[in-house]
Amino acid sequence: PPGAGGGGGGTDSERQTFQTSVGLIGGSMKLLESITMCSESGGGEVATALKDAAVVQNMLVSLDECRLVGIVPLLSALFLDAKIDQSWLQPPAASDSPLSANHEETVTCAASALRVLTNVAFLDLALLHRTLSAVEIQAEFSHVALQILESVGCALRRGCPVQSTSLHSSGLQPDKAYALFSAILDELILLLGHLAVTDTSGQSLFAGWRNGVMMLEQLCSLPLPYFLSPRLREVLLPTLIVATYKNKQLLSVLKRDVSTAVLANFVQQHIPGAGGGGGGRRFAGWG
């Protein structure tokens, strides 16, 4: 029946057509992920063969000309399109559907698409910022980013399908499901940090972009492991630092949920000599 699957509108035929397409698009995203992966972003078998600077430059020119192969519209379709079955984003309390093989394809596609963007950040940060800052893309990306923070963050906070005992035996295994959902959130957090770094006007990306302050609020309310786990702290805290340093408006938002001492201590621990001599004055931007 229409609406089956606990997610978006549209007919069964429309959802089936999209799900079939996701498998093909997901494969393309995985290939592009491998091609764009450099040593700084983790390396890769395909990337190892791309050591010729001219080849890399030609690849970047192609990505620039095609607006990063339409990744932002793809993410918009996955997370915002009302015609797409959104049950894959629902926590167990809101849906009885397991994370099936079809859902796995959707989650994997989304994670790979975001990873391509972070890979491009390592290769050419200016290209990434120029593309995502374009007027016709900026608002769409802002909405997508906010939706990911809200939906995936909520899914992980409330247990997500990864911890549900109702998973069918043919569905995705809990540990793998958790890793895929976490990958989506991790890649977006890293991406937002890269974009904040490229802002030459004083890290005002979050405040200046539409929904920016709400994105910061969502970052500050992420599941507790992002503030306790050493690995996840290294994902989240650098983004919070570059987004709020010496920005009074965003500091006031951050201070509602996060102690500025946490950010200052993180910098002191990861930048040799950062805490020496200057003491509190060194990090007055978080005071």
Side-chain angles (χ1 to χ4, degrees), residues 37-66:
M37 197 174 290
C38 60
S39 58
E40 288 82 358
S41 60
E45 294 181 4
V46 177
T48 302
L50 296 176
K51 295 186 178 296
D52 190 318
V55 173
V56 174
Q57 184 58 37
N58 287 336
M59 176 185 68
L60 292 173
V61 169
S62 297
L63 289 173
D64 193 8
E65 291 178 347
C66 64

PDB file of all heavy atoms in Angstrom, residues 37-66:
ATOM      1  N   MET A  37      40.715   9.224  -2.674  1.00  0.00           N
ATOM      2  CA  MET A  37      41.354   8.987  -1.387  1.00  0.00           C
ATOM      3  C   MET A  37      42.859   9.188  -1.493  1.00  0.00           C
ATOM      4  O   MET A  37      43.540   8.579  -2.314  1.00  0.00           O
ATOM      5  CB  MET A  37      41.049   7.565  -0.906  1.00  0.00           C
ATOM      6  CG  MET A  37      41.306   7.344   0.571  1.00  0.00           C
ATOM      7  SD  MET A  37      40.766   5.686   1.084  1.00  0.00           S
ATOM      8  CE  MET A  37      38.986   5.863   0.967  1.00  0.00           C
ATOM      9  N   CYS A  38      43.397  10.093  -0.686  1.00  0.00           N
ATOM     10  CA  CYS A  38      44.843  10.355  -0.672  1.00  0.00           C
ATOM     11  C   CYS A  38      45.426   9.826   0.634  1.00  0.00           C
ATOM     12  O   CYS A  38      44.714   9.320   1.488  1.00  0.00           O
ATOM     13  CB  CYS A  38      45.122  11.844  -0.818  1.00  0.00           C
ATOM     14  SG  CYS A  38      44.412  12.855   0.496  1.00  0.00           S
ATOM     15  N   SER A  39      46.739   9.947   0.793  1.00  0.00           N
ATOM     16  CA  SER A  39      47.391   9.412   1.985  1.00  0.00           C
ATOM     17  C   SER A  39      46.858  10.059   3.252  1.00  0.00           C
ATOM     18  O   SER A  39      46.684   9.420   4.284  1.00  0.00           O
ATOM     19  CB  SER A  39      48.903   9.619   1.894  1.00  0.00           C
ATOM     20  OG  SER A  39      49.221  10.993   1.741  1.00  0.00           O
ATOM     21  N   GLU A  40      46.556  11.385   3.197  1.00  0.00           N
ATOM     22  CA  GLU A  40      46.076  12.080   4.382  1.00  0.00           C
ATOM     23  C   GLU A  40      44.699  11.594   4.804  1.00  0.00           C
ATOM     24  O   GLU A  40      44.366  11.600   5.987  1.00  0.00           O
ATOM     25  CB  GLU A  40      46.017  13.595   4.135  1.00  0.00           C
ATOM     26  CG  GLU A  40      47.370  14.279   4.069  1.00  0.00           C
ATOM     27  CD  GLU A  40      48.031  14.151   2.714  1.00  0.00           C
ATOM     28  OE1 GLU A  40      47.427  13.489   1.837  1.00  0.00           O
ATOM     29  OE2 GLU A  40      49.125  14.687   2.524  1.00  0.00           O
ATOM     30  N   SER A  41      43.882  11.162   3.839  1.00  0.00           N
ATOM     31  CA  SER A  41      42.531  10.732   4.169  1.00  0.00           C
ATOM     32  C   SER A  41      42.426   9.221   4.291  1.00  0.00           C
ATOM     33  O   SER A  41      41.337   8.671   4.372  1.00  0.00           O
ATOM     34  CB  SER A  41      41.535  11.217   3.102  1.00  0.00           C
ATOM     35  OG  SER A  41      41.872  10.701   1.827  1.00  0.00           O
ATOM     36  N   GLY A  42      43.545   8.524   4.287  1.00  0.00           N
ATOM     37  CA  GLY A  42      43.524   7.095   4.534  1.00  0.00           C
ATOM     38  C   GLY A  42      44.165   6.237   3.467  1.00  0.00           C
ATOM     39  O   GLY A  42      44.375   5.058   3.651  1.00  0.00           O
ATOM     40  N   GLY A  43      44.468   6.799   2.304  1.00  0.00           N
ATOM     41  CA  GLY A  43      45.080   6.035   1.231  1.00  0.00           C
ATOM     42  C   GLY A  43      44.078   5.136   0.530  1.00  0.00           C
ATOM     43  O   GLY A  43      42.892   5.185   0.784  1.00  0.00           O
ATOM     44  N   GLY A  44      44.557   4.295  -0.344  1.00  0.00           N
ATOM     45  CA  GLY A  44      43.662   3.406  -1.071  1.00  0.00           C
ATOM     46  C   GLY A  44      44.393   2.791  -2.240  1.00  0.00           C
ATOM     47  O   GLY A  44      45.361   3.355  -2.753  1.00  0.00           O
ATOM     48  N   GLU A  45      43.947   1.621  -2.663  1.00  0.00           N
ATOM     49  CA  GLU A  45      44.632   0.923  -3.743  1.00  0.00           C
ATOM     50  C   GLU A  45      44.599   1.721  -5.038  1.00  0.00           C
ATOM     51  O   GLU A  45      45.585   1.805  -5.761  1.00  0.00           O
ATOM     52  CB  GLU A  45      43.994  -0.452  -3.952  1.00  0.00           C
ATOM     53  CG  GLU A  45      44.193  -1.409  -2.778  1.00  0.00           C
ATOM     54  CD  GLU A  45      43.574  -2.761  -3.043  1.00  0.00           C
ATOM     55  OE1 GLU A  45      43.062  -2.949  -4.163  1.00  0.00           O
ATOM     56  OE2 GLU A  45      43.604  -3.625  -2.154  1.00  0.00           O
ATOM     57  N   VAL A  46      43.432   2.294  -5.342  1.00  0.00           N
ATOM     58  CA  VAL A  46      43.324   3.075  -6.569  1.00  0.00           C
ATOM     59  C   VAL A  46      44.140   4.347  -6.452  1.00  0.00           C
ATOM     60  O   VAL A  46      44.852   4.746  -7.373  1.00  0.00           O
ATOM     61  CB  VAL A  46      41.847   3.419  -6.866  1.00  0.00           C
ATOM     62  CG1 VAL A  46      41.747   4.290  -8.107  1.00  0.00           C
ATOM     63  CG2 VAL A  46      41.042   2.142  -7.057  1.00  0.00           C
ATOM     64  N   ALA A  47      44.053   4.995  -5.274  1.00  0.00           N
ATOM     65  CA  ALA A  47      44.760   6.257  -5.081  1.00  0.00           C
ATOM     66  C   ALA A  47      46.271   6.074  -5.199  1.00  0.00           C
ATOM     67  O   ALA A  47      46.982   6.990  -5.619  1.00  0.00           O
ATOM     68  CB  ALA A  47      44.411   6.855  -3.724  1.00  0.00           C
ATOM     69  N   THR A  48      46.761   4.890  -4.819  1.00  0.00           N
ATOM     70  CA  THR A  48      48.193   4.637  -4.886  1.00  0.00           C
ATOM     71  C   THR A  48      48.707   4.788  -6.313  1.00  0.00           C
ATOM     72  O   THR A  48      49.840   5.210  -6.548  1.00  0.00           O
ATOM     73  CB  THR A  48      48.511   3.215  -4.376  1.00  0.00           C
ATOM     74  OG1 THR A  48      48.020   3.086  -3.043  1.00  0.00           O
ATOM     75  CG2 THR A  48      50.008   2.965  -4.385  1.00  0.00           C
ATOM     76  N   ALA A  49      47.858   4.456  -7.283  1.00  0.00           N
ATOM     77  CA  ALA A  49      48.269   4.546  -8.689  1.00  0.00           C
ATOM     78  C   ALA A  49      48.178   5.975  -9.221  1.00  0.00           C
ATOM     79  O   ALA A  49      48.718   6.287 -10.276  1.00  0.00           O
ATOM     80  CB  ALA A  49      47.402   3.635  -9.544  1.00  0.00           C
ATOM     81  N   LEU A  50      47.494   6.855  -8.493  1.00  0.00           N
ATOM     82  CA  LEU A  50      47.318   8.227  -8.954  1.00  0.00           C
ATOM     83  C   LEU A  50      48.357   9.144  -8.318  1.00  0.00           C
ATOM     84  O   LEU A  50      48.045  10.005  -7.508  1.00  0.00           O
ATOM     85  CB  LEU A  50      45.899   8.720  -8.605  1.00  0.00           C
ATOM     86  CG  LEU A  50      44.752   7.976  -9.280  1.00  0.00           C
ATOM     87  CD1 LEU A  50      43.421   8.503  -8.781  1.00  0.00           C
ATOM     88  CD2 LEU A  50      44.832   8.125 -10.789  1.00  0.00           C
ATOM     89  N   LYS A  51      49.607   8.935  -8.677  1.00  0.00           N
ATOM     90  CA  LYS A  51      50.682   9.740  -8.111  1.00  0.00           C
ATOM     91  C   LYS A  51      51.141  10.844  -9.060  1.00  0.00           C
ATOM     92  O   LYS A  51      51.901  11.723  -8.665  1.00  0.00           O
ATOM     93  CB  LYS A  51      51.869   8.847  -7.731  1.00  0.00           C
ATOM     94  CG  LYS A  51      51.545   7.870  -6.603  1.00  0.00           C
ATOM     95  CD  LYS A  51      52.780   7.119  -6.172  1.00  0.00           C
ATOM     96  CE  LYS A  51      52.467   6.179  -5.018  1.00  0.00           C
ATOM     97  NZ  LYS A  51      52.037   6.881  -3.798  1.00  0.00           N
ATOM     98  N   ASP A  52      50.699  10.788 -10.281  1.00  0.00           N
ATOM     99  CA  ASP A  52      51.044  11.819 -11.244  1.00  0.00           C
ATOM    100  C   ASP A  52      50.248  13.084 -10.930  1.00  0.00           C
ATOM    101  O   ASP A  52      49.018  13.083 -10.948  1.00  0.00           O
ATOM    102  CB  ASP A  52      50.712  11.323 -12.656  1.00  0.00           C
ATOM    103  CG  ASP A  52      51.267  12.254 -13.728  1.00  0.00           C
ATOM    104  OD1 ASP A  52      51.160  13.488 -13.552  1.00  0.00           O
ATOM    105  OD2 ASP A  52      51.795  11.749 -14.731  1.00  0.00           O
ATOM    106  N   ALA A  53      50.959  14.178 -10.647  1.00  0.00           N
ATOM    107  CA  ALA A  53      50.301  15.424 -10.268  1.00  0.00           C
ATOM    108  C   ALA A  53      49.355  15.911 -11.363  1.00  0.00           C
ATOM    109  O   ALA A  53      48.293  16.472 -11.072  1.00  0.00           O
ATOM    110  CB  ALA A  53      51.339  16.495  -9.958  1.00  0.00           C
ATOM    111  N   ALA A  54      49.720  15.695 -12.620  1.00  0.00           N
ATOM    112  CA  ALA A  54      48.871  16.142 -13.730  1.00  0.00           C
ATOM    113  C   ALA A  54      47.557  15.369 -13.756  1.00  0.00           C
ATOM    114  O   ALA A  54      46.494  15.935 -14.034  1.00  0.00           O
ATOM    115  CB  ALA A  54      49.609  15.970 -15.054  1.00  0.00           C
ATOM    116  N   VAL A  55      47.626  14.075 -13.457  1.00  0.00           N
ATOM    117  CA  VAL A  55      46.412  13.251 -13.433  1.00  0.00           C
ATOM    118  C   VAL A  55      45.481  13.733 -12.320  1.00  0.00           C
ATOM    119  O   VAL A  55      44.265  13.878 -12.516  1.00  0.00           O
ATOM    120  CB  VAL A  55      46.769  11.771 -13.227  1.00  0.00           C
ATOM    121  CG1 VAL A  55      45.498  10.940 -13.021  1.00  0.00           C
ATOM    122  CG2 VAL A  55      47.558  11.239 -14.421  1.00  0.00           C
ATOM    123  N   VAL A  56      46.065  13.986 -11.153  1.00  0.00           N
ATOM    124  CA  VAL A  56      45.269  14.461 -10.022  1.00  0.00           C
ATOM    125  C   VAL A  56      44.639  15.804 -10.347  1.00  0.00           C
ATOM    126  O   VAL A  56      43.461  16.048 -10.067  1.00  0.00           O
ATOM    127  CB  VAL A  56      46.133  14.565  -8.753  1.00  0.00           C
ATOM    128  CG1 VAL A  56      45.337  15.202  -7.621  1.00  0.00           C
ATOM    129  CG2 VAL A  56      46.641  13.196  -8.339  1.00  0.00           C
ATOM    130  N   GLN A  57      45.416  16.693 -10.968  1.00  0.00           N
ATOM    131  CA  GLN A  57      44.900  18.014 -11.307  1.00  0.00           C
ATOM    132  C   GLN A  57      43.753  17.930 -12.306  1.00  0.00           C
ATOM    133  O   GLN A  57      42.743  18.633 -12.186  1.00  0.00           O
ATOM    134  CB  GLN A  57      46.019  18.884 -11.870  1.00  0.00           C
ATOM    135  CG  GLN A  57      45.614  20.325 -12.161  1.00  0.00           C
ATOM    136  CD  GLN A  57      45.085  21.037 -10.921  1.00  0.00           C
ATOM    137  OE1 GLN A  57      45.577  20.827  -9.814  1.00  0.00           O
ATOM    138  NE2 GLN A  57      44.096  21.893 -11.117  1.00  0.00           N
ATOM    139  N   ASN A  58      43.900  17.056 -13.291  1.00  0.00           N
ATOM    140  CA  ASN A  58      42.819  16.865 -14.269  1.00  0.00           C
ATOM    141  C   ASN A  58      41.555  16.331 -13.600  1.00  0.00           C
ATOM    142  O   ASN A  58      40.430  16.730 -13.951  1.00  0.00           O
ATOM    143  CB  ASN A  58      43.266  15.910 -15.369  1.00  0.00           C
ATOM    144  CG  ASN A  58      44.262  16.545 -16.318  1.00  0.00           C
ATOM    145  OD1 ASN A  58      44.313  17.768 -16.449  1.00  0.00           O
ATOM    146  ND2 ASN A  58      45.062  15.716 -16.983  1.00  0.00           N
ATOM    147  N   MET A  59      41.734  15.440 -12.638  1.00  0.00           N
ATOM    148  CA  MET A  59      40.592  14.907 -11.905  1.00  0.00           C
ATOM    149  C   MET A  59      39.883  16.019 -11.131  1.00  0.00           C
ATOM    150  O   MET A  59      38.651  16.123 -11.146  1.00  0.00           O
ATOM    151  CB  MET A  59      41.042  13.815 -10.938  1.00  0.00           C
ATOM    152  CG  MET A  59      39.922  13.273 -10.061  1.00  0.00           C
ATOM    153  SD  MET A  59      40.511  12.075  -8.837  1.00  0.00           S
ATOM    154  CE  MET A  59      41.481  13.148  -7.760  1.00  0.00           C
ATOM    155  N   LEU A  60      40.665  16.884 -10.496  1.00  0.00           N
ATOM    156  CA  LEU A  60      40.078  17.979  -9.722  1.00  0.00           C
ATOM    157  C   LEU A  60      39.361  18.974 -10.625  1.00  0.00           C
ATOM    158  O   LEU A  60      38.296  19.498 -10.271  1.00  0.00           O
ATOM    159  CB  LEU A  60      41.169  18.683  -8.909  1.00  0.00           C
ATOM    160  CG  LEU A  60      41.781  17.859  -7.775  1.00  0.00           C
ATOM    161  CD1 LEU A  60      42.954  18.603  -7.151  1.00  0.00           C
ATOM    162  CD2 LEU A  60      40.731  17.542  -6.716  1.00  0.00           C
ATOM    163  N   VAL A  61      39.922  19.227 -11.802  1.00  0.00           N
ATOM    164  CA  VAL A  61      39.268  20.129 -12.762  1.00  0.00           C
ATOM    165  C   VAL A  61      37.923  19.546 -13.182  1.00  0.00           C
ATOM    166  O   VAL A  61      36.909  20.264 -13.266  1.00  0.00           O
ATOM    167  CB  VAL A  61      40.161  20.364 -13.995  1.00  0.00           C
ATOM    168  CG1 VAL A  61      39.374  21.069 -15.097  1.00  0.00           C
ATOM    169  CG2 VAL A  61      41.386  21.192 -13.608  1.00  0.00           C
ATOM    170  N   SER A  62      37.896  18.235 -13.418  1.00  0.00           N
ATOM    171  CA  SER A  62      36.649  17.580 -13.808  1.00  0.00           C
ATOM    172  C   SER A  62      35.614  17.653 -12.682  1.00  0.00           C
ATOM    173  O   SER A  62      34.431  17.924 -12.920  1.00  0.00           O
ATOM    174  CB  SER A  62      36.907  16.117 -14.173  1.00  0.00           C
ATOM    175  OG  SER A  62      37.769  16.020 -15.294  1.00  0.00           O
ATOM    176  N   LEU A  63      36.060  17.427 -11.453  1.00  0.00           N
ATOM    177  CA  LEU A  63      35.144  17.514 -10.319  1.00  0.00           C
ATOM    178  C   LEU A  63      34.607  18.929 -10.156  1.00  0.00           C
ATOM    179  O   LEU A  63      33.433  19.126  -9.820  1.00  0.00           O
ATOM    180  CB  LEU A  63      35.860  17.073  -9.031  1.00  0.00           C
ATOM    181  CG  LEU A  63      36.182  15.580  -8.914  1.00  0.00           C
ATOM    182  CD1 LEU A  63      37.036  15.327  -7.673  1.00  0.00           C
ATOM    183  CD2 LEU A  63      34.899  14.754  -8.850  1.00  0.00           C
ATOM    184  N   ASP A  64      35.464  19.908 -10.412  1.00  0.00           N
ATOM    185  CA  ASP A  64      35.052  21.302 -10.306  1.00  0.00           C
ATOM    186  C   ASP A  64      34.003  21.640 -11.360  1.00  0.00           C
ATOM    187  O   ASP A  64      32.975  22.273 -11.073  1.00  0.00           O
ATOM    188  CB  ASP A  64      36.280  22.204 -10.452  1.00  0.00           C
ATOM    189  CG  ASP A  64      36.002  23.641 -10.040  1.00  0.00           C
ATOM    190  OD1 ASP A  64      34.910  23.906  -9.494  1.00  0.00           O
ATOM    191  OD2 ASP A  64      36.871  24.496 -10.258  1.00  0.00           O
ATOM    192  N   GLU A  65      34.242  21.200 -12.574  1.00  0.00           N
ATOM    193  CA  GLU A  65      33.341  21.528 -13.681  1.00  0.00           C
ATOM    194  C   GLU A  65      31.962  20.887 -13.528  1.00  0.00           C
ATOM    195  O   GLU A  65      30.962  21.447 -13.975  1.00  0.00           O
ATOM    196  CB  GLU A  65      33.973  21.101 -15.008  1.00  0.00           C
ATOM    197  CG  GLU A  65      35.187  21.947 -15.398  1.00  0.00           C
ATOM    198  CD  GLU A  65      35.821  21.470 -16.689  1.00  0.00           C
ATOM    199  OE1 GLU A  65      35.475  20.342 -17.127  1.00  0.00           O
ATOM    200  OE2 GLU A  65      36.652  22.207 -17.255  1.00  0.00           O
ATOM    201  N   CYS A  66      31.909  19.710 -12.900  1.00  0.00           N
ATOM    202  CA  CYS A  66      30.615  19.028 -12.755  1.00  0.00           C
ATOM    203  C   CYS A  66      30.041  19.182 -11.348  1.00  0.00           C
ATOM    204  O   CYS A  66      29.189  18.400 -10.929  1.00  0.00           O
ATOM    205  CB  CYS A  66      30.736  17.552 -13.123  1.00  0.00           C
ATOM    206  SG  CYS A  66      31.808  16.607 -12.052  1.00  0.00           S
TER     207      CYS A  66
END
